[in-house]
Amino acid sequence: MSLVNPITTWSTTTTSKSPKNVQTTTRSRSIILPHKISLFPSNPKSKSKTHLRFSISSILTKNPQESSQKTSKDPTFTLDFKTYMLEKASSVNKALEQAVLLKEPLKIHESMRYSLLAGGKRVRPMLCIAACELVGGLESTAMPSACAVEMIHTMSLIHDDLPCMDNDDLRRGKPTNHKIYGEDVAVLAGDALLAFSFEHVAKSTKGVSSDRIVRVIGELAKCIGSEGLVAGQVVDISSEGMTEVGLEHLEFIHVHKTAALLEASVVLGAIVGGADDEDVEKLRKFARCIGLLFQVVDDILDVTKSSQELGKTAGKDLVADKTTYPKLLGIEKSREFAEKLNREAQEQLEGFDSVKAAPLIALANYIAYRDN
């Protein structure tokens, strides 16, 4: 199944701008995806906003979640990313707890809450909130959309784990939903979370015009449906056991299956935050980069970490004979591709206020260098 004509190039660059003036070498890989998801414009327009410039340590640190993020534009500003993540996750968890209440019928709501409140890093809601704040919006404005993308993400995990799909027993360090509530209730819990995500955006978003809420609902629906998450999942299932799966085929799967919801998270935040069309598209490109980055890193972790470290079954893609980036490129070149995606994602944030962009820079680094 050939979905695009790939063009691949490798280049080597050397820089002495790393900490301690130590030279580092980086290989980069460029790949052209289908025209509708072209990630990197050749001549992006830039607005007359504060130009984004981060210190090299904030971009290349291998443990950004444990360090502070500084901007060279404002050397007095420091983002404590660990604190930022904890605070945002706490806000999201509180909002999710209040959104999906325990009520009749008890079993379905217990099942919904079991997976929705089981933990997780809340990366998608954080991206939604950070994008909203980047363009001048408030966390409270973005929170219904942030919760909605987490509900949809949870739905996808519940359904992915079913015996008819990935047949997994472990998720976020706990038994999967169908192991506790049965396959029938697990399916319905996922369906209910999906339906409620739209209701929650429509009813709970305050201070945003109706036309922007309609745009949000349209974006959300498209990222899930037959041109988004479902498309990626179907092609993924159809590809199991195939002997010849090319890189362009694999990228189609992951741009749709994984990146689409990450893209929606950022775009939703930008829309409710009041962004104009140009800024929405710049943030869309940023999100597409980190969406694919997320999957490349996921593939690497699947073959380099244990189930205990991941909180889910390790090596399942290998057992299922799925095509992954390490399988096609090898571990080292997969890591190089991830580094390139991270750099090109952050380039899309140039032109935005550097202080407000700091959380998105840190989140991109977090996705790139996470351990689970």
Side-chain angles (χ1 to χ4, degrees):
M1 179 176 179
S2 179
L3 299 171
V4 297
N5 294 318
I7 298 177
T8 305
T9 60
W10 290 89
S11 62
T12 301
T13 59
T14 302
T15 178
S16 59
K17 293 184 179 180
S18 56
K20 300 182 182 180
N21 203 36
V22 177
Q23 287 195 330
T24 60
T25 301
T26 303
R27 293 187 182 89
S28 63
R29 181 178 176 284
S30 300
I31 185 151
I32 294 180
L33 300 179
H35 70 280
K36 287 187 179 180
I37 53 170
S38 176
L39 301 182
F40 321 118
S42 55
N43 291 298
K45 290 177 67 179
S46 179
K47 290 190 169 185
S48 57
K49 300 179 180 178
T50 304
H51 200 58
L52 182 68
R53 284 291 181 265
F54 278 86
S55 64
I56 196 73
S57 61
S58 73
I59 297 176
L60 298 181
T61 176
K62 293 298 180 183
N63 293 293
Q65 65 269 35
E66 297 177 358
S67 66
S68 298
Q69 304 285 324
K70 291 186 178 182
T71 67
S72 58
K73 188 72 179 177
D74 180 5
T76 64
F77 172 74
T78 300
L79 172 67
D80 183 341
F81 185 56
K82 186 174 182 179
T83 300
Y84 176 88
M85 284 197 74
L86 289 172
E87 289 177 350
K88 293 301 184 187
S90 177
S91 295
V92 170
N93 288 334
K94 183 179 178 180
L96 290 170
E97 173 81 31
Q98 294 172 344
V100 182
L101 300 173
L102 188 57
K103 54 188 176 181
E104 294 292 344
L106 284 179
K107 191 169 187 179
I108 189 65
H109 288 98
E110 285 176 357
S111 178
M112 292 164 68
R113 286 167 59 89
Y114 175 79
S115 293
L116 186 64
L117 305 178
K121 296 173 281 292
R122 309 307 190 196
V123 170
R124 291 158 188 81
M126 286 185 202
L127 286 167
C128 184
I129 294 167
C132 181
E133 293 178 332
L134 173 66
V135 298
L138 301 174
E139 177 185 299
S140 58
T141 305
M143 190 59 77
S145 294
C147 288
V149 294
E150 191 66 14
M151 291 173 195
I152 291 169
H153 176 54
T154 301
M155 172 277 294
S156 73
L157 300 182
I158 294 172
H159 286 179
D160 267 358
D161 292 335
L162 289 168
C164 64
M165 302 287 273
D166 288 350
N167 192 24
D168 219 331
D169 298 336
L170 192 67
R171 175 67 68 179
R172 290 173 173 168
K174 295 182 177 183
T176 47
N177 195 291
H178 67 275
K179 287 292 180 181
I180 301 296
Y181 295 98
E183 292 179 41
D184 48 2
V185 173
V187 169
L188 294 172
D191 292 346
L193 283 169
L194 176 60
F196 185 63
S197 66
F198 291 96
E199 178 185 341
H200 191 59
V201 169
K203 286 188 174 182
S204 301
T205 306
K206 306 299 181 185
V208 178
S209 65
S210 58
D211 64 318
R212 284 187 177 265
I213 292 177
V214 169
R215 283 180 67 188
V216 163
I217 290 173
E219 288 278 350
L220 206 51
K222 187 173 182 179
C223 86
I224 305 162
S226 60
E227 295 181 9
L229 191 155
V230 170
Q233 186 70 46
V234 167
V235 177
D236 189 24
I237 292 170
S238 303
S239 302
E240 288 185 23
M242 288 178 61
T243 56
E244 295 183 8
V245 175
L247 193 58
E248 70 275 16
H249 185 109
L250 182 64
E251 286 180 347
F252 178 90
I253 292 171
H254 294 316
V255 163
H256 290 77
K257 181 180 176 181
T258 303
L261 188 54
L262 283 159
E263 176 185 330
S265 302
V266 173
V267 171
L268 265 56
I271 292 172
V272 298
D276 60 27
D277 290 345
E278 182 180 350
D279 282 349
V280 168
E281 290 312 306
K282 288 179 73 174
L283 288 170
R284 187 189 299 279
K285 294 181 180 83
F286 163 82
R288 286 173 180 173
C289 291
I290 64 167
L292 189 54
L293 169 65
F294 193 97
Q295 187 60 51
V296 175
V297 173
D298 223 42
D299 284 358
I300 294 169
L301 292 175
D302 189 64
V303 294
T304 59
K305 298 291 182 178
S306 67
S307 297
Q308 184 176 2
E309 290 172 308
L310 294 177
K312 60 182 180 180
T313 306
K316 64 180 182 180
D317 290 340
L318 187 63
V319 172
D321 197 27
K322 284 189 175 181
T323 302
T324 63
Y325 285 96
K327 184 176 179 180
L328 287 181
L329 299 176
I331 296 286
E332 199 54 43
K333 284 186 171 59
S334 295
R335 285 178 173 145
E336 291 164 0
F337 185 30
E339 288 173 4
K340 179 174 175 59
L341 286 168
N342 188 17
R343 287 195 304 274
E344 294 185 324
Q346 295 184 28
E347 287 172 5
Q348 302 304 318
L349 299 179
E350 292 189 356
F352 288 101
D353 179 88
S354 58
V355 173
K356 290 182 178 180
L360 287 175
I361 291 282
L363 280 162
N365 282 331
Y366 178 80
I367 289 170
Y369 303 120
R370 64 196 170 95
D371 293 321
N372 55 37

